[in-house]
Structure formats: structure tokens, C-alpha cells
Amino acid sequence: MMAEPNTDKVNLRGRIGKDISKTEQKRKLTLKGETRVFDVYQIPLEHLVYNKRNGRIISWMNRLESDGKDIGLLTKEEYNEQVEDMIVRSNTAALEKTKNNIKNFGQRVAGVVLNNGTIVDGNRRFTCLRHLKRDHGMDVFFEAIILDPAEGLSDIDIKRLELNLQHGEERPVDYNPIDNLVDVYNDIVVNKYFTVQEYALNTNKRPAEVRKMVDKAELMVEYLDFINASGKFYLAREMDLDGPLQEMVGILKKEEDDEEEHTRVKDALFAALSVSKDKDLTRYIRRIGSDILKGGNREDFLEEFEDVVDDVHDTFQEKEGIDLDSYRQAIKELEGTRDEAASIVSRRAEETAILRAKMKPLDAMNTALKSLETIDMDHVGRFDGKTKEEFVRLMVQMRERLSAYEGRL
């Protein structure tokens, strides 16, 4: 469980009329199924804190903890500085664009904060305002609605609002795909805030799309367990695993009827992913799925790859715990295994390619035969003169072609 930052709590509502002032702006929000109009306030930046439960932040924060930082010992400003750095690095270009817009035109869209200063919506805008105040000396405030959980808002109500704001409104969602998977995993699998159908409704997605996201998220968690990095979501982000996970979900879907075979294939894919020398991991996993696991040498590959799976699994599990540095060290230790894995995948894929090339004439002949079987004999008997003449001409050509094939045989 991630520690809470050592932040001093504030009562924003209690500061209205002191250093917090109401603006003329209003913003509509839907809470607990009811759409209401809320006042917008100007809030000093020092009263606010990033929301550690935000999916975008979780994967970065567990990297911080993996590096030995105790979040529980950080002051509010130290914590804000760490999160700010993460947000800047996650999408510097987008942040600069937003910052320039705010600098030139002011904050156009109000954020949403809780009464204790936690930001529910507006992390990037808050980050830009921090920069403008610190680096440009601008006298700025964060303009936002203030919601008080004490007025009957549960954690689920707040999370539902966050999803609505980030996904439901017609504006781009700039989540890193892995951060999004972490959010889905926590909301649906861990905390059980929502069912798949409820999550789909709150994010304007199709249930099938959300179900696939859950499958990918659960596979991501299993992969991190496989490499002894349980809960180190930042590793999945560093490895850019969204594409490979997408391919794996499709491959493993075909293995659902046999649990033992499902596990064999999954472990082989996990090991292949870990030691791949191909920088395009998505294409690499797709190649294994289409050129080997669907081929006639599937069983040969899985048996031959068992030693690779054991070497990869044992190397990672023998370490005390995997972080980014120890992951890189493990990959160096597996250099020989990487060569072996690359050789097996390349050789088995080439075997399939050769076999498919050999099968092309048979496939074409089968297709031609099936086409002939669709011709109605009675219809042939009723051909008029011109049609009959053309039909005979084609038959002669076919006989000549078949005779040529026989000659080659």
C-alpha cells in the first residue's frame, strides 16, 4: 500500500473570504447522478496538493518508493515537487503549450479540488501555474470548484467524478496507456469501485473495450510478478508494454480452454518479452503469435523454449527484488539466454514461413476446387451457344494447366 505524503491538511471552505475569493465563474458537475452548478474560487497554490490516488501519478510514485524514498516523510511541498517533476517529464510539449496558453489568456477551465486541498481535476493546469509563479514571478491562483467530502461524497463518488472529467468530456485524454491500465486495475479489480459496465458508462467506452483493458491490466500484473517486480508499474511504463500486452491478450484468448496450455504459452511470451533483442516488442510478440504459435511447429517451439523460460524466471526471482537498475543487471546476466531465445524464435518463424510457402499451391488448388463445386451442373446444360463456347475455352485452358502440373510431378 502506498504511504501517504506528510501533508498538512487545510480547510479551504473555512478560508473563503480570507485568502480564497469567489469568482464570477460557474461550472457544471454531475455528482451522485445530479447535475449542479458550482461556484469557482481563486485558491492560493500553497494550499493545494496533487492527488496520490490519481492513476497518472501511481506508476511514478511507486518508482519513487522503489528508489528508496519514503513518501510518508515528505512535506507537502517536497511531495508536490516530486509529482510536478513526474508530470513535466511525462509530456513536456503538452505542458509547455498549456503553460503558454495560461500565461497569455489566463486559466480558461476551472479545476476541481477537495476541501482538504487535494486536486481531483487540473493537475497539468496546477503544474503550469506553479511554474508561472516560480519561474516568471506571476501572481497566480488556481481557479477551481471546492467539494467537501463531509457533505456526503464517498471515495467512489469522487472517483466517478474523476473518470467523468478525464474520459467522459469531449477533450483529449493524455494518459500514458500504462497509467490508464493501472487506474483501471485499481478501480475495477483492487478497490472494486466499479463493475466493467459501470466503468464503461462513466468513461464513455464500450464494455468490451473496458473488458480488454482489464485483461491487459491483469496480464501486466502477472508479468511483473513473473520478473519479481510485483506492483512496480513504472517498469511496465519504462518498457512501453501496452502494445505487447495487447498482442498477448489476443494470443492467450485462444488458449482459454486449456489452463495448462494457457500457462505454457503465457510463460513463453513473458520470457520472450523479457529477453527480446528486437526493439519493437509489439511486432516481436505478434511474430511469435502468428508465425510460430499458429504454425505446425508450435509444440517444438514450446518444448525448446522451456529452458529459456526457466533461465529468465530463475534469474529474476533469485534477486531480492527487481527495480529498474536490477532489471537492467538481470538482462546483462541473461545475455547468453537472449542469444538462444533470438535464435529459436528466428529459426522457428522461418520454418513456418517455408512451410507456408510450400502450402501455397495446395491452398490455391483447394480454393479453385471449391470454386468449381459452386457451379450448377443443370445451369451448364442450359448454356446458350456463345456462353457454351466461352465455357469450353476456359475448360481447355484448365486442362492445359493441370497437364503442366502433372508433367512437373
Side-chain angles (χ1 to χ4, degrees):
M1 194 69 159
M2 190 180 297
E4 292 280 353
N6 184 25
T7 58
D8 54 310
K9 302 298 182 182
V10 297
N11 176 5
L12 296 182
R13 291 276 181 86
R15 305 191 70 86
I16 296 174
K18 299 175 183 177
D19 57 354
I20 295 177
S21 58
K22 186 168 73 170
T23 71
E24 295 182 356
Q25 296 182 58
K26 306 283 184 181
R27 185 178 178 182
K28 284 185 178 181
L29 289 183
T30 301
L31 283 169
K32 302 173 77 69
E34 179 185 354
T35 300
R36 296 162 51 195
V37 177
F38 292 85
D39 293 322
V40 174
Y41 297 87
Q42 285 189 333
I43 307 169
L45 305 188
E46 59 268 23
H47 293 330
L48 302 172
V49 62
Y50 291 104
N51 181 9
K52 82 175 188 68
R53 292 184 176 83
N54 183 285
R56 185 190 321 234
I57 293 171
I58 290 174
S59 65
W60 290 98
M61 295 310 290
N62 64 29
R63 176 173 183 174
L64 200 64
E65 292 186 326
S66 178
D67 291 340
K69 297 281 180 65
D70 186 344
I71 298 174
L73 297 179
L74 298 179
T75 65
K76 180 163 74 175
E77 186 51 34
E78 288 171 338
Y79 167 78
N80 277 346
E81 286 175 359
Q82 294 285 351
V83 177
E84 176 187 309
D85 181 59
M86 298 169 191
I87 290 175
V88 170
R89 285 189 286 147
S90 68
N91 197 332
T92 303
L95 188 82
E96 283 298 314
K97 182 178 179 180
T98 302
K99 183 168 70 175
N100 288 332
N101 282 338
I102 293 177
K103 183 179 179 181
N104 293 328
F105 306 109
Q107 182 185 339
R108 289 178 166 177
V109 180
V112 179
V113 303
L114 300 183
N115 193 45
N116 64 7
T118 300
I119 296 173
V120 174
D121 177 58
N123 286 310
R124 179 184 288 168
R125 279 158 281 166
F126 176 54
T127 301
C128 293
L129 289 166
R130 284 170 58 87
H131 283 198
L132 292 172
K133 181 175 182 178
R134 183 180 62 239
D135 301 336
H136 299 272
M138 294 179 64
D139 186 20
V140 291
F141 297 85
F142 186 61
E143 296 181 350
I145 294 165
I146 301 173
L147 300 178
D148 191 351
E151 296 177 353
L153 291 178
S154 66
D155 288 345
I156 296 179
D157 293 327
I158 294 168
K159 187 62 190 181
R160 184 179 290 112
L161 172 64
E162 183 183 332
L163 290 177
N164 291 160
L165 294 173
Q166 290 167 352
H167 300 273
E169 295 189 352
E170 294 182 359
R171 59 190 178 95
V173 178
D174 59 357
Y175 262 35
N176 176 279
I178 294 298
D179 289 340
N180 206 9
L181 291 184
V182 174
D183 214 22
V184 167
Y185 183 73
N186 282 323
D187 288 347
I188 296 178
V189 180
V190 178
N191 296 319
K192 301 187 186 304
Y193 286 156
F194 311 105
T195 64
V196 167
Q197 288 72 21
E198 289 168 342
Y199 194 95
L201 181 64
N202 282 285
T203 56
N204 199 27
K205 290 180 170 64
R206 291 177 292 106
E209 184 181 355
V210 176
R211 179 70 258 173
K212 181 172 283 190
M213 291 172 67
V214 172
D215 290 342
K216 285 167 62 177
E218 290 179 328
L219 197 59
M220 172 182 66
V221 170
E222 289 184 75
Y223 174 69
L224 293 175
D225 289 343
F226 179 85
I227 62 169
N228 194 22
S230 300
K232 304 288 181 63
F233 298 117
Y234 73 91
L235 278 176
R237 179 179 177 134
E238 289 286 336
M239 295 172 68
D240 197 17
L241 289 188
D242 183 66
L245 289 170
Q246 179 93 359
E247 294 295 328
M248 288 186 196
V249 166
I251 294 169
L252 292 171
K253 208 75 175 171
K254 297 177 175 62
E255 310 291 339
E256 287 183 339
D257 294 337
D258 188 329
E259 185 176 347
E260 184 177 346
E261 199 67 7
H262 184 277
T263 300
R264 284 183 76 204
V265 172
K266 180 177 66 178
D267 287 350
L269 293 173
F270 283 172
L273 180 65
S274 302
V275 295
S276 171
K277 288 193 167 186
D278 192 328
K279 291 184 179 180
D280 189 340
L281 295 176
T282 302
R283 184 179 64 180
Y284 184 67
I285 295 299
R286 185 184 302 131
R287 185 186 187 196
I288 293 174
S290 62
D291 293 351
I292 300 176
L293 295 175
K294 287 183 179 179
N297 56 4
R298 165 199 171 100
E299 186 60 30
D300 294 333
F301 166 76
L302 289 174
E303 287 185 4
E304 190 176 12
F305 214 67
E306 282 179 1
D307 288 341
V308 173
V309 173
D310 290 342
D311 286 348
V312 173
H313 182 266
D314 292 347
T315 298
F316 282 111
Q317 293 297 327
E318 286 168 1
K319 296 190 177 301
E320 188 172 337
I322 295 296
D323 56 18
L324 192 56
D325 289 337
S326 58
Y327 177 84
R328 290 168 176 161
Q329 180 59 38
I331 294 301
K332 288 182 181 179
E333 295 173 13
L334 287 163
E335 190 59 35
T337 304
R338 296 182 73 199
D339 291 337
E340 181 184 359
S343 174
I344 293 172
V345 170
S346 179
R347 178 162 41 83
R348 294 300 183 184
E350 286 173 7
E351 286 175 358
T352 301
I354 292 171
L355 181 61
R356 285 175 177 169
K358 289 180 178 179
M359 293 298 293
K360 275 188 176 180
L362 289 178
D363 292 339
M365 190 67 81
N366 276 317
T367 300
L369 185 58
K370 288 177 181 177
S371 294
L372 288 173
E373 289 173 350
T374 64
I375 299 175
D376 189 330
M377 288 291 190
D378 292 336
H379 194 186
V380 172
R382 293 194 296 270
F383 281 161
D384 58 30
K386 187 173 182 180
T387 305
K388 184 176 181 180
E389 182 180 336
E390 177 64 13
F391 193 78
V392 170
R393 185 186 69 80
L394 292 173
M395 285 176 57
V396 170
Q397 286 186 347
M398 291 175 68
R399 286 196 192 102
E400 290 173 351
R401 177 66 64 176
L402 290 172
S403 179
Y405 291 149
E406 286 176 346
R408 298 291 278 180
L409 291 172

